[in-house]
Amino acid sequence: MKRFVYIITDRNRKNLHVGLCSDLMKTIQFYSEMPTLFFDNAQQLNRLVYFEEINTEEQAMERFKVVSTYTRPQKEKMIRAVNADWIDLTIGLKYENGLRVRPQLRPSLNANRRVMAF
């Protein structure tokens, strides 16, 4: 089962929180539904700035332990290597998640029409 090691921050990049989860979208949704769970309103963790997808639970747990011990400059260097502008990656994940679910396509209008020969 795939696991994700992620780093989420607030709008001012003051706090960096490292986490481990199996469903990244549900975790991000949890942070948005519980904005003051960890910090006050000014320090809401709402920007996903880094994540890694790892195939096994054991490897994910080891990676989480390693990243959790990093100092702030080490975490910033890791983030800047893949996300130099610290943009919120949630937007891309929502878009990608929407692509995976095939929307119901409207039946073709021509399929319902009878072809009349004159």
Side-chain angles (χ1 to χ4, degrees), residues 36 82 116:
T36 58
V82 294
M116 300 183 142

Side-chain angles (χ1 to χ4, degrees), residues 73-101:
Q74 289 174 313
K75 290 176 190 174
E76 287 180 0
K77 184 177 180 182
M78 191 171 67
I79 293 167
R80 285 196 174 98
V82 294
N83 187 1
D85 295 329
W86 291 60
I87 59 172
D88 187 6
L89 302 175
T90 307
I91 298 164
L93 284 175
K94 287 179 182 176
Y95 176 75
E96 187 176 305
N97 197 27
L99 290 178
R100 289 184 186 159
V101 178

